[in-house]
Amino acid sequence: MRHDHIISAKQLSRADIETVLDHAADIAADPSAYADRHADTLLGLCFFEPSTRTKMSFTAAMKRLGGDIVDMGSVESSSVKKGESLADTVRVVEGYADALVLRHPMEGSAKMASEFVDVPLVNAGDGAGQHPTQTLLDLYTIRENAGFDDLTIGIMGDLKYGRTVHSLAHALTNVDARQHFISPESLQLPRSVRYDLHQEGAEVREHTELEEVLPELDVLYVTRIQRERFPDESEYREVAGQYQIDSETLAAAKDDLTVMHPLPRVDEIAHDVDDTDYATYFEQAHNGVPVRMALLDLLLEANE
């Protein structure tokens, strides 16, 4: 895999995906073998939005590779509060670090920022746009639990604003997968994403009810309603809580169904699902460390 920056799942080929996932599997099997791989390497974290899993797993990944992090901190405590532009911020942090991870509320921000830096930049989420490293750990989890052959996956929830959905849907066109999209009509896939999927040869199957397709699914990928993306709070209230699953809902599912969620969840998956064999979302979150270790290792090695 030879990419200067990781901005979008669209740039990843099947070969790129397999390279990262295979490397992640090797790391997961023997993490100690990579403990000093990137000693004296610094990863710059620029998070303009809140994050738990992504930020912590990138931190853990870099430290488990023998390196360390420099963190911009919160927007409120940074020079952004004084009016500093994104371009200036990343150019400054580039001088302190060997690679950058950027999360920003504006769609397209990672692409723009990458044009101002010479070290590898990884998009950790740009508004309602893309989240490619989440997609890589999602794919790793899917491959480990259900495989990539003759896969039927349902993606349910906020498909309009959910960047994890947009990234995953694009990436799944690289494998043998039938995709079903389940959402309220007001939160269906954006026209641009639907167009791109058609261009990539994917059939977009849209539903308003999970029950229509649940018995067919090998994987159910659930997302929360992205409250912070709605331009109007009243629009959010109209759809909040419409899509919820519990252990009773899953009675119609295959015994080996894999239930995933990028987290955080609100009320879309009941806690009684946690104790079932279906629940894979905490394993999915933990997979962020070996997958991000693999990606950073490949990027840094290529950059050297």
Side-chain angles (χ1 to χ4, degrees):
M1 188 184 75
R2 305 250 342 149
H3 294 292
D4 294 328
H5 309 293
I6 302 297
I7 305 300
S8 168
K10 297 179 189 178
Q11 76 190 85
L12 300 174
S13 67
R14 173 68 181 259
D16 290 332
I17 291 166
E18 296 284 6
T19 296
V20 176
L21 302 196
D22 289 346
H23 195 34
D26 290 341
I27 290 171
D30 187 10
S32 62
Y34 298 84
D36 297 316
R37 190 129 171 130
H38 291 284
D40 301 320
T41 298
L42 288 176
L43 181 67
L45 302 182
C46 300
F47 279 69
F48 291 73
E49 282 189 320
S51 173
T52 301
R53 280 151 299 279
T54 302
K55 190 172 187 179
M56 290 188 71
S57 63
F58 265 115
T59 300
M62 190 69 257
K63 292 190 174 188
R64 289 188 182 277
L65 288 169
D68 209 336
I69 60 130
V70 285
D71 187 353
M72 183 188 85
S74 68
V75 169
E76 288 72 22
S77 64
S78 75
S79 290
V80 176
K81 196 69 174 176
K82 302 175 184 177
E84 183 173 65
S85 69
L86 175 59
D88 282 359
T89 296
V90 294
R91 280 187 287 197
V92 168
V93 180
E94 175 191 24
Y96 308 144
D98 302 288
L100 302 180
V101 178
L102 173 67
R103 170 169 289 188
H104 197 278
M106 184 177 70
E107 190 170 342
S109 55
K111 173 63 175 170
M112 185 275 288
S114 71
E115 295 171 359
F116 291 92
V117 296
D118 293 322
V119 300
L121 183 143
V122 179
N123 180 9
D126 61 332
Q130 290 272 316
H131 195 347
T133 65
Q134 177 69 46
T135 292
L136 286 166
L137 73 90
D138 291 343
L139 292 171
Y140 182 85
T141 307
I142 290 168
R143 191 176 75 165
E144 292 293 301
N145 287 274
F148 282 165
D149 298 318
D150 195 27
L151 176 72
T152 302
I153 180 169
I155 303 177
M156 184 178 84
D158 186 348
L159 311 185
K160 181 177 182 180
Y161 298 112
R163 58 192 172 204
T164 61
V165 168
H166 304 161
S167 288
L168 181 60
H170 286 297
L172 285 169
T173 63
N174 288 291
V175 303
D176 181 16
R178 291 171 296 281
Q179 299 188 60
H180 294 271
F181 299 95
I182 306 114
S183 71
E185 289 186 4
S186 62
L187 293 179
Q188 288 180 339
L189 286 171
R191 184 178 301 174
S192 59
V193 175
R194 193 184 295 114
Y195 174 80
D196 286 345
L197 292 176
H198 281 308
Q199 290 294 103
E200 293 161 11
E203 183 179 343
V204 178
R205 306 168 180 87
E206 296 183 291
H207 314 269
T208 56
E209 301 296 335
L210 174 62
E211 289 73 19
E212 297 174 20
V213 293
L214 179 59
E216 304 173 34
L217 301 181
D218 302 304
V219 175
L220 175 60
Y221 190 95
V222 184
T223 68
R224 71 183 175 90
I225 306 299
Q226 305 278 306
R227 183 175 192 168
E228 66 274 20
R229 309 281 177 219
F230 280 71
D232 189 321
E233 177 70 15
S234 64
E235 289 182 40
Y236 167 75
R237 288 197 296 268
E238 286 179 11
V239 294
Q242 282 193 25
Y243 285 75
Q244 299 174 327
I245 64 168
D246 54 25
S247 55
E248 185 177 343
T249 308
L250 298 175
K254 292 180 179 180
D255 291 341
D256 59 353
L257 173 71
T258 296
V259 176
M260 299 173 61
H261 192 304
L263 302 177
R265 66 175 162 181
V266 182
D267 56 5
E268 57 276 358
I269 298 181
H271 289 277
D272 67 358
V273 178
D274 297 356
D275 297 324
T276 69
D277 292 337
Y278 301 124
T280 317
Y281 26 88
F282 294 115
E283 172 192 334
Q284 177 186 355
H286 298 158
N287 286 339
V289 175
V291 169
R292 289 178 170 122
M293 285 177 71
L295 183 65
L296 289 173
D297 185 31
L298 292 165
L299 282 174
L300 290 166
E301 193 173 64
N303 196 50
E304 289 168 2

